[in-house]
C-alpha cells in the first residue's frame, strides 16, 4: 500500500522517528519509520480520514491534525478514531502551527488562512 499513494502533506512526530504522509487518493494517512540515516521503512496505514486528506501537522504530544476536503480532523498519537466530529471548514489544503507559543493552528481554507487556537502546542 505504501508504494502507490498519492502524497499530499507530510509531518514528523516530535521524536523524528515517524513520518506521516497523507494519501489524497486513498483517504488515509500513512506512517513510515525513519531510520537514523533518514531511510524510510515499514510503511503502514495510520488512520483513515474524511475524503482527500492533504494537510497534516503534529502537536507536541504526537496528536495528528489532518486537513481534508471536508474540514479538520484530529487523531490521537496512537491512531484509531478521530477525536470528535470533523470540524467542517471546507477544503483545507495545508496546516502549520505558529504563534509565540505554537498554540495557533493555521489552516489554508479556500482563498484564506484561518487561525485556530489549540490547547496543546504544535511541534
Amino acid at each position: 500500500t505504501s508504494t502507490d499513494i498519492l502524497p499530499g502533506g507530510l509531518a514528523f512526530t516530535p521524536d523524528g522517528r515517524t513520518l506521516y504522509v497523507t494519501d489524497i487518493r486513498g483517504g488515509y494517512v500513512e506512517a513510515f519509520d525513519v531510520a537514523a540515516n533518514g531511510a524510510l521503512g515499514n510503511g503502514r496505514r495510520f488512520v483513515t480520514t474524511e475524503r482527500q486528506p492533504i494537510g497534516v501537522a503534529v502537536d507536541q504530544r504526537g496528536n495528528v491534525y489532518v486537513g481534508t476536503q471536508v474540514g479538520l480532523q484530529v487523531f490521537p498519537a496512537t491512531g484509531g478514531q478521530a477525536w470528535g466530529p470533523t470540524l467542517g471548514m471546507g477544503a483545507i489544503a495545508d496546516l502549520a502551527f505558529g504563534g509565540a507559543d505554537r498554540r495557533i493552528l493555521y489552516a489554508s481554507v479556500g482563498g484564506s488562512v484561518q487561525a485556530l487556537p489549540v490547547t496543546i502546542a504544535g511541534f
Side-chain angles (χ1 to χ4, degrees):
T1 60
S2 60
T3 59
D4 62 352
I5 67 174
L6 178 59
L10 50 91
F12 287 95
T13 54
D15 64 8
R17 300 172 104 181
T18 304
L19 173 67
Y20 296 117
V21 180
T22 59
D23 183 341
I24 298 169
R25 180 176 43 230
Y28 54 89
V29 177
E30 283 272 307
F32 295 89
D33 293 338
V34 181
N37 67 358
L40 300 179
N42 189 29
R44 61 205 177 275
R45 188 164 298 171
F46 175 67
V47 294
T48 300
T49 69
E50 293 285 353
R51 68 179 187 266
Q52 296 181 313
I54 299 175
V56 62
V58 179
D59 69 24
Q60 290 182 356
R61 292 189 187 160
N63 301 308
V64 180
Y65 299 68
V66 180
T68 72
Q69 287 296 308
V70 177
L72 179 67
Q73 291 186 281
V74 182
F75 295 89
T78 55
Q81 296 296 315
W83 287 339
T86 301
L87 180 58
M89 302 170 57
I92 298 175
D94 206 0
L95 297 169
F97 285 101
D101 60 0
R102 301 191 61 79
R103 290 183 189 268
I104 300 200
L105 179 65
Y106 293 98
S108 61
V109 183
S112 68
V113 175
Q114 302 291 319
L116 308 166
V118 293
T119 56
I120 302 169
F123 170 67

